[in-house]
Amino acid sequence: MSIGSFYKTSASSGMITIQPSSADIQALTDFAKVVPKAAAAAQRRAINKTLGWLRTHIARAVGKQQGVAMWAVRQRLRSFPVKGNTGRGKLWFGINPLEAARTGRARQTQSGVSVGRRRYQGAFYKRVYGGNADIWIRTASKHFSASDYPASDVSSGGGPSSGWIAENGDRFPLAKAMVQLDDVRPLFEEWTRRADQRLLEILKQELNFELQKFLRGNARG
């Protein structure tokens, strides 16, 4: 019968012997039987926690890089937690152009519209289509420049939903202010690598949690 680790000393030295006790051996044997289930639970929690961590940090990084409010970026991020025995979770990020009005709090000024660090001279903030107001500028305005409105939806004639707006009885073609997100593509490689490292850290914690939970239950038994 094993009594566990022990030590012996003599006049000139000391010796420590490390070995599991009979109870520890039995506990490890019992734990080995539930390892597959415990490991799967640990893996599921680790992946889902990493998804939450990744969503927060990507939103922060993209917001800082693009000058977009973090809450606006989070609306473009969608988590798909682990389900069943798939062993994988996913984080979707929409990188289509984002309406400038959704990047922060838009403010109408005498000279135009400001939102975050962006300024749109000669523009106006108004609900034209749908339920939300957007930042628009008349394409005939002296302040309009296509280079200042990348990925903008420039309206054209042809009907009530063609992008035209009636003002003072006349019709004016408009361009909607948009923000491109193509520059965030390099972040995917960086944050995928960081997420892989983070997953390993959390997985170790979760496996340890499963082990400690089992040992506490075994001690009570």
Side-chain angles (χ1 to χ4, degrees):
M1 179 178 179
S2 174
I3 60 173
S5 299
F6 62 93
Y7 70 93
K8 290 182 178 180
T9 61
S10 67
S12 60
S13 66
M15 177 71 75
I16 298 176
T17 299
I18 303 297
Q19 64 180 14
S21 66
S22 297
D24 290 339
I25 292 175
Q26 185 60 49
L28 290 171
T29 300
D30 293 341
F31 182 65
K33 296 178 182 178
V34 300
V35 161
K37 182 178 180 180
Q43 177 179 279
R44 182 173 60 254
R45 290 196 304 270
I47 291 175
N48 291 340
K49 287 183 178 181
T50 302
L51 283 177
W53 175 89
L54 185 60
R55 187 169 185 261
T56 296
H57 283 77
I58 282 187
R60 186 176 299 160
V62 172
K64 182 178 180 180
Q65 181 194 74
Q66 299 295 315
V68 176
M70 186 173 171
W71 57 263
V73 181
R74 288 180 70 91
Q75 292 179 347
R76 286 296 187 92
L77 293 164
R78 185 178 304 168
S79 297
F80 295 91
V82 178
K83 290 186 177 180
N85 297 320
T86 60
R88 63 177 59 181
K90 297 181 179 180
L91 180 67
W92 178 87
F93 184 16
I95 57 177
N96 289 333
L98 176 67
E99 290 88 349
R102 310 293 182 268
T103 63
R105 182 179 178 183
R107 294 181 175 84
Q108 181 73 59
T109 66
Q110 291 184 346
S111 61
V113 180
S114 65
V115 54
R117 67 190 185 196
R118 294 179 172 83
R119 302 292 183 271
Y120 296 94
Q121 191 172 7
F124 58 92
Y125 181 58
K126 185 175 182 179
R127 183 175 67 83
V128 178
Y129 304 111
N132 298 314
D134 280 299
I135 300 172
W136 301 86
I137 190 171
R138 298 189 183 95
T139 56
S141 170
K142 65 179 181 180
H143 299 295
F144 174 73
S145 172
S147 61
D148 294 334
Y149 284 77
S152 299
D153 294 332
V154 179
S155 64
S156 58
S161 62
S162 62
W164 291 63
I165 175 174
E167 287 189 352
N168 301 322
D170 296 321
R171 287 193 167 196
F172 301 92
L174 304 172
K176 184 194 294 185
M178 305 287 287
V179 175
Q180 290 182 315
L181 297 177
D182 285 341
D183 291 343
V184 308
R185 293 180 185 275
L187 292 175
F188 282 100
E189 179 179 357
E190 175 187 353
W191 283 99
T192 297
R193 185 171 61 253
R194 293 190 182 187
D196 197 43
Q197 296 171 349
R198 181 61 176 170
L199 175 60
L200 181 58
E201 294 174 3
I202 299 179
L203 184 56
K204 290 178 180 178
Q205 296 171 4
E206 294 299 329
L207 286 172
N208 182 63
F209 171 79
E210 288 293 333
L211 175 59
Q212 296 303 319
K213 182 174 67 173
F214 175 81
L215 292 178
R216 288 196 299 270
N218 188 68
R220 287 194 297 268

